[in-house]
Amino acid sequence: MHDIPAPDVAAADHTGGQTVTPWLVVVLAVILLSGGLFGYDQGVISGALHGIRATFSLSALLIEVVTSWVTLGALFGALVAGELADRLGRKRAVLIAGIVFTIGSLVEALAPGTAVLVGGRLIVGLGVGIAAVAAPLYAAELSPSALRGRFISAYQLAVTAGIFIAYLVDGWLSKNDSWRWMLGLSVAPGLMLIAVALVTPRSPRWLIRAGRLAEAAAEMRRIRPGADPQPEIDSIVAVRAQEKGPASWGEVFGGQWRRPLLVGVGLAVFQQITGINAVIYYADQIFAAAGFATQSSQTTVTTWAVGGVNMAATFIAIAFIDRLGRRKLLLAGLLGMGVSLAVVGASFEFITTTASGRGAPGLAGIATLVALVVFITSFAFSMGPVVWTVINEIFPAHIRGRAVAVATAVNWASAFIVSQMFLSLIDAIGDSFTFWLFALFCGLGWVWIFYAVPETKGRSLEQIQQIWKAKGA
Ligand code: BGC
């Protein structure tokens, strides 16, 4: 049902082939560092809060602000990034993200008081938001079609590695409450990102759109020495000629590209409302409720069962995304996520009705742990990497920067809402129904993806663009 013949550009994927050249390794480094910054920042705050609270004697409200304003900054950064990436180019947007992020990390680490700390969190968020748009976009445009899923999944792998490393760093530094080091350590990858972004190639697709064909050809020869860049340039120029001039925000939201925008935004929302960040942010508390009584048992189980498994299972996506395709992974993953969430809900029912004196986790606690491992695994090979992959490949070139920015900002906004509401939801409807609600969203997401999301595996970005034309987007 989702096959599209695209004869006009079908043979034009010059990026086809599977060779990873030295410059593609540099591209990969940009992707890995950008994802790593995102993930480290996502994971580190839980461990740093204790020390921050002690140093500045923060109120509950300020603790929430310190925790969540990074997300606000990221939301704003994501929106700005679309404009930056379209106007200045993908490479420069990544460079700016690295600079902003590094400044923000320094401000956080050296903050003399709460106001500066919150300012630092906002600046870091801005950098994270810009990187979260620019890096996968850059990956989508620079990678060979046959490897594109893997390249963008490498971004997700780096996100999960960042979260995992942050959990480990938190564990090591927690003994002496060195929160300044926990936050400040991210200056190192920030500086590395700046260094790599200075030398990495520019996106030929962006250069072609800017009418700079000779520079695009030069970058293509650099990325793929020995291959003739002309066929690809011709195909991109041909697709570009069918477009009606430069895109405005009006065109991004206009009727013509409604379908890809719905697919991108829908995937962004489903990635969050199926519960991943409720688990990432509140894992300690979930495990505490499931009977893991001591702080150290909670930290250990969170680090390995959530952080470690999340990272390890992302390799499944890297191995299969370009072979099995996006849809199969999404549908299989959502099934695993839905079933495991239903089990977590059921075991909480059991825990609350039978728990008497919690010392060690009982059967229901162990069932919760196993089900959460299945949940994280299922997310990590599907809704994590595949959502970012599809969001970055479905839009036509002239609206790509802005449309990806919109989908990414919606993703951050959904993450913010879910993480803010999770504890209140548990208060209002109980643990079990909260997890069952997430399970229900997995079911809805499955049906929607089955009908709405096309397979993009193995097609060039220009061929994917034809899907919407063929279907009358
Ligand atoms: C999501 C994040 C999430 C992370 C977990 C990403 O794809 O966008 O919200 O925390 O995966 O691995």
Side-chain angles (χ1 to χ4, degrees):
M1 85 199 241
H2 295 292
D3 289 340
I4 43 111
D8 48 343
V9 289
D13 182 22
H14 66 297
T15 56
Q18 308 232 350
T19 333
V20 177
T21 60
W23 279 111
L24 278 177
V25 175
V26 176
V27 171
L28 199 59
V30 169
I31 299 162
L32 292 176
L33 285 165
S34 304
L37 297 182
F38 173 177
Y40 185 84
D41 202 74
Q42 190 107 322
V44 79
I45 192 66
S46 63
L49 271 181
H50 184 72
I52 294 175
R53 191 184 303 162
T55 310
F56 296 135
S57 27
L58 296 185
S59 65
L61 178 74
L62 276 175
I63 291 178
E64 245 185 60
V65 169
V66 167
T67 310
S68 60
W69 276 32
V70 136
T71 312
L72 284 188
L75 213 161
F76 186 63
L79 286 173
V80 176
E83 200 78 19
L84 284 180
D86 277 350
R87 279 182 198 275
L88 304 179
R90 283 55 169 135
K91 168 183 157 127
R92 285 202 199 123
V94 173
L95 183 61
I96 293 170
I99 295 172
V100 173
F101 184 88
T102 306
I103 295 174
S105 306
L106 276 175
V107 172
E108 277 184 341
L110 302 174
T114 322
V116 178
L117 178 65
V118 171
R121 299 287 292 154
L122 264 179
I123 301 173
V124 161
L126 258 182
V128 167
I130 299 173
V133 171
L137 195 62
Y138 181 70
E141 294 192 346
L142 269 286
S143 49
S145 300
L147 299 175
R148 193 176 54 239
R150 288 185 186 190
F151 265 69
I152 308 180
S153 299
Y155 170 76
Q156 173 71 13
L157 178 69
V159 173
T160 60
I163 295 175
F164 184 49
I165 291 169
Y167 283 168
L168 290 175
V169 169
D170 280 358
W172 291 327
L173 295 178
S174 65
K175 278 163 214 87
N176 41 4
D177 264 353
S178 316
W179 65 268
R180 290 184 191 276
W181 279 105
M182 291 177 192
L183 299 179
L185 272 181
S186 53
V187 167
L191 288 175
M192 278 152 75
L193 180 61
I194 295 173
V196 182
L198 280 172
V199 298
T200 200
R202 285 166 297 172
S203 164
R205 283 187 161 87
W206 181 81
L207 287 168
I208 292 172
R209 284 197 36 247
R212 292 152 65 174
L213 300 190
E215 286 167 74
E219 290 293 22
M220 281 168 161
R221 275 190 221 102
R222 188 149 83 109
I223 301 162
R224 233 156 240 292
D228 176 11
Q230 207 50 50
E232 179 173 27
I233 295 186
D234 291 345
S235 91
I236 299 174
V237 168
V239 172
R240 173 105 182 89
Q242 297 163 19
E243 292 165 358
K244 294 191 206 90
S248 62
W249 279 105
E251 192 178 345
V252 175
F253 291 107
Q256 199 192 355
W257 303 111
R258 202 193 60 228
R259 285 204 54 229
L261 194 67
L262 267 178
V263 168
V265 168
L267 285 172
V269 170
F270 274 114
Q271 188 196 53
Q272 295 299 329
I273 63 174
T274 44
I276 183 64
N277 282 320
V279 173
I280 300 259
Y281 290 144
Y282 298 107
D284 275 17
Q285 294 181 48
I286 299 172
F287 288 126
F292 290 81
T294 62
Q295 175 70 49
S296 81
S297 69
Q298 290 156 22
T299 309
T300 310
V301 90
T302 298
T303 304
W304 295 99
V306 178
V309 168
N310 193 14
M311 186 174 98
T314 308
F315 283 103
I316 304 176
I318 294 192
F320 291 111
I321 189 166
D322 287 320
R323 277 192 259 167
L324 294 178
R326 287 52 163 158
R327 281 170 55 83
K328 285 201 181 107
L329 289 185
L330 284 174
L331 294 173
L334 270 176
L335 188 69
M337 288 165 68
V339 170
S340 54
L341 285 169
V343 172
V344 174
S347 49
F348 263 99
E349 196 63 5
F350 192 68
I351 289 167
T352 42
T353 51
T354 63
S356 58
R358 288 172 186 154
L363 204 59
I366 300 293
T368 307
L369 173 62
V370 172
L372 279 182
V373 167
V374 174
F375 171 76
I376 295 285
T377 306
S378 307
F379 173 88
F381 74 72
S382 66
M383 291 301 279
V386 183
V387 162
W388 291 120
T389 301
V390 176
I391 284 177
N392 281 280
E393 55 187 14
I394 51 174
F395 296 111
H398 66 301
I399 65 162
R400 191 174 295 134
R402 291 175 187 203
V404 167
V406 169
T408 308
V410 168
N411 183 271
W412 282 104
S414 315
F416 186 69
I417 293 168
V418 171
S419 56
Q420 293 290 306
M421 284 185 55
F422 179 63
L423 295 180
S424 332
L425 255 182
I426 287 188
D427 274 348
I429 60 175
D431 305 87
S432 298
F433 279 97
T434 304
F435 286 107
W436 286 334
L437 186 67
F438 288 142
L440 176 73
F441 286 139
C442 290
L444 293 177
W446 197 99
V447 173
W448 175 74
I449 285 172
F450 185 82
Y451 287 108
V453 178
E455 183 54 76
T456 49
K457 171 189 83 167
R459 302 179 199 283
S460 74
L461 294 179
E462 288 67 37
Q463 289 168 340
I464 294 171
Q465 187 165 335
Q466 304 297 313
I467 295 180
W468 314 115
K469 291 241 168 73
K471 291 181 148 278

